[in-house]
Amino acid sequence: MAAARVPTARNKGWLSAQRCRPAPLIWAEKLDAYVEEWFLREFGDGLIYETVLDPGNGVPERIAEVRATRERLRSDREAGLYAASGDAAWFREPYAAEPGAGVTAPRRPNHLPRHRFA
C-alpha cells in the first residue's frame, strides 16, 4: 500500500515552494485492474506469442557421431590396436544397447533446430 506524500518545502518557507501540492496517492493494484479491464474491453482477448528456439531432437548429429565412431573403430581394428576376441567384444558393447543405431534410417522423424512461436 502506498503512503501519501506531504511536501515539506512549503512548511520551511521556501518561496519556490509556495504553490507546491501533495503528490497524488497511486493505488497500483487498482490501476492495473482498471487498465486491464479497459484494454480487454477495447481490444478484446488475444494471444501473446513469443519466439522460442526449438533445438530439435538431434537425430542427424547422433547419426553422424555413431558413423564417425564406427569408422574410427574400424580403422583402429585394421591398424591392429585390438586383435583379441575379448577386445572386440569390449568395443562392440556400447553398440549392443542400440542395435543398428546410425546404420539405418532413424525411427524418429528428423526434427531440425528452428524458431517457432509459442
Side-chain angles (χ1 to χ4, degrees), residues 4 6 8 14 18-19 23 31 43 56 59 61 72 75 78 85 87 95 97 105:
V6 179
T8 58
W14 294 359
Q18 287 178 351
R19 295 184 182 174
L31 180 63
F43 300 106
V59 169
E61 293 83 7
R72 182 182 55 80
S75 65
E78 289 170 1
S85 60
D87 289 340
Y95 297 102

Side-chain angles (χ1 to χ4, degrees), residues 5 41 76:
R5 295 181 52 110
R41 187 174 58 245
D76 288 349

Side-chain angles (χ1 to χ4, degrees), residues 30-93:
K30 289 184 179 181
L31 180 63
D32 283 345
Y34 173 76
V35 169
E36 180 181 0
E37 179 185 330
W38 171 84
F39 184 86
L40 292 175
R41 187 174 58 245
E42 289 292 317
F43 300 106
D45 275 336
L47 297 176
I48 298 174
Y49 289 101
E50 176 185 13
T51 303
V52 295
L53 174 64
D54 185 357
N57 59 5
V59 169
E61 293 83 7
R62 179 71 180 130
I63 291 172
E65 177 186 342
V66 168
R67 286 182 177 159
T69 303
R70 186 177 59 193
E71 290 302 317
R72 182 182 55 80
L73 290 175
R74 279 184 184 159
S75 65
D76 288 349
R77 184 181 63 222
E78 289 170 1
L81 291 180
Y82 63 94
S85 60
D87 289 340
W90 183 80
F91 276 99
R92 287 186 186 115
E93 188 176 306

